[in-house]
Amino acid sequence: MTEPALRAVGLHRRFAHPSGDVEVLRGLELQVHAGELTTVAGRSGSGKSALLALLGGFDSPDSGAVYLDGVPISEAPPWHTCAVLPQALGLANELTVAENVALPLRLRPTGEDIGARVRELLGALGIGELAERYPTEVSFGQQQRVALARAVSARPKVLLTDEPTAHLDGASIGPVLRLLRGCAAEGAAVIAATHDDRVHEIADRRVRLLDGVLTAALD
Ligand SMILES: Nc1ncnc2c1ncn2[C@@H]1O[C@H](COP(=O)(O)OP(=O)(O)OP(=O)(O)O)[C@@H](O)[C@H]1O
């Protein structure tokens, strides 16, 4: 068996709070292989976002470790190979839609034409006509697609998405699902934390976060 693109071993994460500590992850294990799309279900507050923050290296576990291609991310932060679509989106409001999507490619060029890649992604997501607007000039559902285009533009090896369809209507979801599947088809390890059955339906593997560990999702 090949080394998983992403491996989490024994992850523990507790948040201290005056109103009472929250033990969110309790020895969580996860393996995701290149080319695989895994969805993470779980009730609100179960720890899906906390898990993605650890997998992306934006937070550190109290114990346990995350490995990217076998290398602990604590030793080699995965900024060049791992991309995140956070729930809060985090678009740069001073940049246009196109400039936001181009940003990862300017920071880590892939050798391909940046303008062409940006047009390809915005077109695939049905928001090509918004390229020159600023994030504050488009709807939240459109912002979500811009943030997804930005996450995938530099072809990350690992793509972590938090509720990638949360603000989309029925017509907008199809292109997003196709893009997530397309990233996996290109060899990325893709993880989507979601409440949306339409995302679970296109997954290679579905897991559920329950009581701080992952279990096989009940289909
Ligand atoms: N910085 C923090 N300090 C204290 N508690 C926190 C912190 N961050 C998250 N939590 C708590 O940890 C738990 C998990 O939160 P998390 O955002 O990961 O849940 P989630 O599964 O992503 O929820 P949702 O589906 O609503 O997005 C929640 O009980 C939350 O209140």
Side-chain angles (χ1 to χ4, degrees):
M1 194 67 177
T2 54
E3 175 73 37
L6 187 70
R7 184 158 58 98
V9 179
L11 289 185
H12 284 263
R13 185 70 174 101
R14 171 191 289 270
F15 293 112
H17 200 270
S19 61
D21 292 2
V22 187
E23 194 174 3
V24 181
L25 304 182
R26 308 173 185 217
L28 181 143
E29 308 274 333
L30 173 67
Q31 296 192 2
V32 183
H33 287 87
E36 190 177 66
L37 168 56
T38 299
T39 52
V40 181
R43 62 173 175 72
S44 179
S46 59
K48 301 181 297 299
S49 300
L51 171 61
L52 293 187
L54 295 180
L55 298 179
F58 295 99
D59 186 22
S60 302
D62 297 314
S63 62
V66 176
Y67 300 84
L68 197 71
D69 284 335
V71 179
I73 64 171
S74 55
E75 289 174 16
W79 311 136
H80 290 282
T81 48
C82 177
V84 182
L85 171 64
Q87 255 177 324
L89 305 183
L91 292 170
N93 284 334
E94 67 278 18
L95 300 180
T96 65
V97 161
E99 288 166 346
N100 266 280
V101 178
L103 194 57
L105 287 159
R106 299 203 185 285
L107 295 173
R108 42 179 204 278
T110 59
E112 63 192 314
D113 184 279
I114 293 178
R117 176 70 173 149
V118 171
R119 281 191 296 278
E120 173 200 342
L121 286 168
L122 294 180
L125 291 169
I127 49 173
E129 75 286 3
L130 305 179
E132 300 312 318
R133 293 206 206 167
Y134 289 88
T136 51
E137 298 171 338
V138 306
S139 76
F140 205 65
Q142 291 165 338
Q143 287 181 35
Q144 184 160 44
R145 282 173 281 163
V146 176
L148 177 61
R150 184 184 60 177
V152 306
S153 64
R155 302 185 193 275
K157 290 174 73 174
V158 174
L159 174 64
L160 308 172
T161 64
D162 203 347
E163 299 289 357
T165 57
H167 306 284
L168 303 181
D169 61 20
S172 310
I173 282 178
V176 167
L177 298 181
R178 281 194 289 279
L179 189 62
L180 294 175
R181 279 265 39 127
C183 289
E186 285 181 3
V190 182
I191 299 181
T194 183
H195 297 286
D196 190 336
D197 285 344
R198 291 163 297 188
V199 186
H200 291 301
E201 278 164 15
I202 63 155
D204 299 304
R205 197 157 63 100
R206 292 172 275 275
V207 293
R208 180 176 301 280
L209 184 45
L210 183 67
D211 296 331
V213 296
L214 291 175
T215 62
L218 299 172
D219 289 314

